[in-house]
Amino acid sequence: MAGEDLEDYTIIKEGEAEILMNVKNQVFYNKTQVNNRDLSIAVLRTFVSKRKEEHEAKLSKRTKSADKASGKDASEPAVEEESNGSALDNEKSNVECEVHKEISQVEPCSISEEPMKSAEGNHRGELKPPKVLEALSASGLRSLRYACEVEGIGKVVALDNDKASVEACQKNIKFNGSVAISKVESHLADARVYMLTHPKEFDMVDLDPYGSPSVFLDSAVQSVVDGGMLMCTATDMAVLCGGNGEVCYSKYGSYPLRGKYCHEMALRILLASIESHANRYKRYIVPILSVQMNFYVRVFVRVYTSASAMKNTPLKLSYVYQCIGCDSYHLQPIGRTVSKDSSVRYLPGFGPAVPQECSDCGKKYNMGGPIWSAPIHDQEWVTSILKSVKSMKDRYPAYDRISAVLTTISEELPDVPLFLSLHNLCATLKCTSPSAVIFRSAVINAGYRISGTHVNPLGLKSDAPMDVIWDIMRCWVKNHPVKAQAPDQPGSVILAKEPVLQANFARAVASLSKAQAKKVARFLPNPERHWGPKLRAGRQITSKHISLLGPEAVNEHLNHENSEEPKAKRPKTDDIIDPTSSS
């Protein structure tokens, strides 16, 4: 830092890492993403331990197979011969492990593409430390936190195609001492080219772009080892949530719908897009955790290679039909299977899923998708991650937020795509709203399951069909009458029909989740005002950014700039913003 003014830098500490940030906004840093980084570290810690368990299980299985084949206890030469054989197999298709019950063939596990004979290992068959790639590193804070905070992590490669960002990252690596210097390396490179030239090399790839990740997905799915982890963030929520449907289709291959569930649909569109890119290389994904937080969506998926398992992709995708008059929505699976004897045939899905007009209110349908309609979380992983986070709560700056999100996700119904909004149902009927407990009790008493969703505090996931939901609401309205509406209104059409199901609103035992019963916080307010995405690096901060950054941040920057300029060039004092002014 010789020749540079230390006053131009501020030290930012997050977790166990510290970075030097230039006040001129030359390198992008987003304070809000502390939630994102904490959650990623939690997932990575669990991934490292699970990866080790899988590797040990595979070695144990291989040893038993060798013992059975030889008919005697495995001797040391036999084990060595087995290791050599596995090394050759590993060069071809990676070590394999079973991941799905429905897939009869053996699937790949998260072990590096290189032969097992490792310079780092003391003996053959030892698992190498996981190698991590942060494709868009900016200041390098995320890479530094991975290296300093995740035990057992190997090399962390931080990429950026901006020279100022790479220089800042290299400064920050040195600033964080020996551990960071030994584990983190920074390169000036186009992430797409780098990932394409390093196929199946990284155990974990992290994509966190400013905007859409779509241009990086094709190369990212190729650079992950079999069984490795791909972490991906998308911040272009206006596109994913239906603000620009045609742009979403061009980037992700899906058409979004503007329902109350639009943020969950955004998650499912992103997963469908990643699966589409993976399929081109005979690969497929298994979602571990999918989160919508603040202004972005974040997905954690494992990537595997299998031409036969890839055939199941159409079974995991569906189109969505959303009624334009009421909240009824229906899913149309793209594919189906037919089993005969020991063989399975893959066929197109049956359709149409809905008539031309909504059977509830008589209006037309909008069609969106395709979306990922299979589970978006692995509940076993979610439980493990949450347990790990709670045991190390002091090491997560955003502990309260990520533990609340993980708690809510752990109670979601995993096999129910999208959700209903109780307030929207009542708005359609123009009736007073039942409490969430009363409505959930009615659904449970009717013999169906229901849960909340981490995406929306008012959202309710249920496997009850829409005609059952509307019957419950008709029964509610009978006890809580509404004013007469025009006969052609969707609410009037729905209420004109007599309910087939007689709803029971008696409070059910499971109407409150465990977290609700214990009064555990599940949805937390933003920690401060103007909490959201910040300005892209390199853009000059001016008074027009006051609504985005807040008056204090803007004034601080403008005052700093003014102090550097000659007196003759200083702007008038009127240009400085008064935090107390209403403008």
Side-chain angles (χ1 to χ4, degrees):
M1 303 216 16
E4 294 186 63
D5 190 351
L6 285 171
E7 291 182 1
D8 290 342
Y9 292 87
T10 56
I11 296 176
I12 295 172
K13 180 173 175 61
E14 186 179 293
E16 294 177 22
E18 291 183 334
I19 60 169
L20 296 164
M21 283 303 299
N22 194 305
V23 295
K24 293 180 180 177
N25 193 40
Q26 291 176 331
V27 178
F28 184 67
Y29 164 72
N30 203 345
K31 181 179 178 180
T32 323
Q33 292 287 61
V34 62
N35 302 323
N36 187 318
R37 289 184 283 266
D38 270 12
L39 193 61
S40 302
I41 287 169
V43 173
L44 187 50
R45 280 178 173 144
T46 304
F47 173 67
V48 170
S49 63
K50 293 261 187 189
R51 176 177 177 268
K52 189 176 180 181
E53 288 172 13
E54 289 172 1
H55 176 68
E56 289 171 353
K58 182 62 189 175
L59 287 183
S60 175
K61 185 178 178 182
R62 187 180 296 134
T63 304
K64 288 178 182 177
S65 299
D67 290 348
K68 197 172 182 181
S70 62
K72 59 181 181 179
D73 291 340
S75 61
E76 192 173 334
V79 173
E80 185 172 339
E81 184 179 342
E82 180 65 28
S83 295
N84 284 331
S86 68
L88 294 173
D89 294 340
N90 207 22
E91 288 180 344
K92 295 178 183 177
S93 64
N94 256 343
V95 179
E96 299 180 332
C97 71
E98 296 179 4
V99 288
H100 282 314
K101 291 180 182 177
E102 69 268 17
I103 301 169
S104 59
Q105 80 170 61
V106 186
E107 297 302 343
C109 186
S110 62
I111 297 172
S112 193
E113 183 80 356
E114 300 173 15
M116 282 185 175
K117 188 170 69 176
S118 167
E120 300 171 30
N122 296 324
H123 61 277
R124 298 174 188 272
E126 182 171 333
L127 185 64
K128 293 179 69 175
K131 192 175 179 182
V132 180
L133 172 69
E134 187 189 358
L136 306 144
S137 63
S139 64
L141 175 59
R142 186 184 297 262
S143 292
L144 291 167
R145 289 197 64 190
Y146 287 166
C148 297
E149 297 181 39
V150 182
E151 291 181 13
I153 205 78
K155 184 187 290 185
V156 182
V157 179
L159 301 180
D160 209 293
N161 65 348
D162 176 59
K163 191 176 179 182
S165 295
V166 174
E167 288 173 356
C169 185
Q170 289 170 348
K171 279 178 192 168
N172 291 328
I173 292 170
K174 292 177 182 176
F175 190 67
N176 279 270
S178 58
V179 173
I181 292 169
S182 64
K183 290 189 175 183
V184 186
E185 58 182 56
S186 178
H187 298 292
L188 178 65
D190 186 317
R192 294 167 294 183
V193 176
Y194 191 91
M195 289 188 287
L196 283 173
T197 52
H198 294 76
K200 291 188 178 180
E201 184 172 318
F202 297 97
D203 297 283
M204 199 214 78
V205 173
D206 195 323
L207 288 178
D208 189 7
Y210 192 102
S212 172
S214 59
V215 295
F216 302 102
L217 294 178
D218 199 85
S219 46
V221 295
Q222 296 180 67
S223 63
V224 186
V225 303
D226 286 345
M229 180 83 72
L230 172 62
M231 303 181 175
C232 182
T233 303
T235 60
D236 54 335
M237 295 303 287
V239 170
L240 283 165
C241 291
N244 298 91
E246 63 282 3
V247 175
C248 184
Y249 191 84
S250 68
K251 288 184 176 182
Y252 299 98
S254 284
Y255 213 96
L257 296 173
R258 301 188 71 175
K260 274 291 180 184
Y261 50 66
C262 63
H263 292 95
E264 183 179 328
M265 191 171 187
L267 279 171
R268 294 180 179 276
I269 287 173
L270 179 57
L271 288 170
S273 181
I274 297 172
E275 175 82 346
S276 172
H277 286 283
N279 285 170
R280 295 163 201 176
Y281 307 100
K282 296 182 180 178
R283 310 193 91 184
Y284 68 98
I285 65 169
V286 177
I288 297 303
L289 178 67
S290 307
V291 183
Q292 188 274 319
M293 292 173 75
N294 300 325
F295 53 89
Y296 60 88
V297 289
R298 175 82 161 162
V299 297
F300 303 83
V301 302
R302 297 187 75 178
V303 182
Y304 297 94
T305 304
S306 171
S308 63
M310 194 183 68
K311 295 177 184 178
N312 289 313
T313 293
L315 309 178
K316 306 172 191 172
L317 302 176
S318 298
Y319 286 97
V320 183
Y321 290 93
Q322 175 65 60
C323 175
I324 62 173
C326 66
D327 294 291
S328 299
Y329 68 87
H330 305 270
L331 271 67
Q332 168 69 68
I334 290 179
R336 61 187 172 93
T337 57
V338 175
S339 300
K340 188 175 181 181
D341 298 329
S342 59
S343 63
V344 177
R345 289 185 65 200
Y346 293 86
L347 300 170
F350 282 129
V354 293
Q356 282 287 311
E357 295 177 346
C358 176
S359 57
D360 295 308
C361 72
K363 300 292 184 182
K364 298 286 187 183
Y365 285 99
N366 281 331
M367 188 181 81
I371 65 167
W372 180 273
S373 52
I376 60 175
H377 314 293
D378 184 316
Q379 291 297 344
E380 183 190 344
W381 273 73
V382 174
T383 304
S384 298
I385 295 166
L386 182 57
K387 185 178 178 181
S388 171
V389 167
K390 287 181 175 178
S391 67
M392 307 169 73
K393 62 185 298 183
D394 296 335
R395 299 182 66 183
Y396 293 100
Y399 169 78
D400 291 340
R401 187 65 185 270
I402 65 169
S403 62
V405 169
L406 288 168
T407 299
T408 314
I409 289 173
S410 69
E411 296 180 339
E412 276 187 20
L413 289 176
D415 55 346
V416 177
L418 309 180
F419 58 85
L420 294 165
S421 168
L422 183 55
H423 285 195
N424 260 36
L425 294 173
C426 296
T428 300
L429 301 179
K430 294 184 169 54
C431 68
T432 58
S433 176
S435 70
V437 172
I438 290 175
F439 183 79
R440 289 166 70 128
S441 296
V443 172
I444 293 167
N445 292 335
Y448 298 95
R449 296 176 298 147
I450 191 166
S451 77
T453 169
H454 79 281
V455 172
N456 188 325
L458 301 174
L460 294 169
K461 284 178 172 281
S462 177
D463 59 352
M466 284 308 303
D467 56 348
V468 170
I469 298 294
W470 286 123
D471 272 355
I472 290 171
M473 293 307 298
R474 289 184 186 107
C475 293
W476 172 260
V477 171
K478 281 192 173 186
N479 298 328
H480 303 79
V482 297
K483 293 180 181 177
Q485 306 172 39
D488 60 338
Q489 290 292 312
S492 300
V493 177
I494 291 168
L495 293 175
K497 300 174 185 176
E498 281 297 313
V500 177
L501 170 81
Q502 293 303 314
N504 176 7
F505 292 105
R507 181 160 177 168
V509 176
S511 59
L512 285 179
S513 69
K514 290 180 182 178
Q516 285 176 306
K518 293 178 181 177
K519 296 187 177 179
V520 175
R522 296 170 302 122
F523 297 93
L524 300 177
N526 290 334
E528 58 188 51
R529 292 185 66 196
H530 306 285
W531 185 259
K534 302 306 179 188
L535 221 57
R536 185 189 288 268
R539 288 191 180 174
Q540 188 177 2
I541 297 175
T542 64
S543 58
K544 71 178 182 181
H545 296 118
I546 189 167
S547 63
L548 184 68
L549 306 175
E552 295 82 6
V554 174
N555 276 335
E556 183 182 350
H557 182 83
L558 294 179
N559 287 331
H560 185 274
E561 280 198 336
N562 291 344
S563 64
E564 292 180 343
E565 295 176 4
K567 290 183 179 180
K569 292 185 177 180
R570 286 191 183 181
K572 295 178 182 179
T573 53
D574 294 343
D575 292 342
I576 305 298
I577 302 158
D578 180 6
T580 60
S581 67
S582 58
S583 59

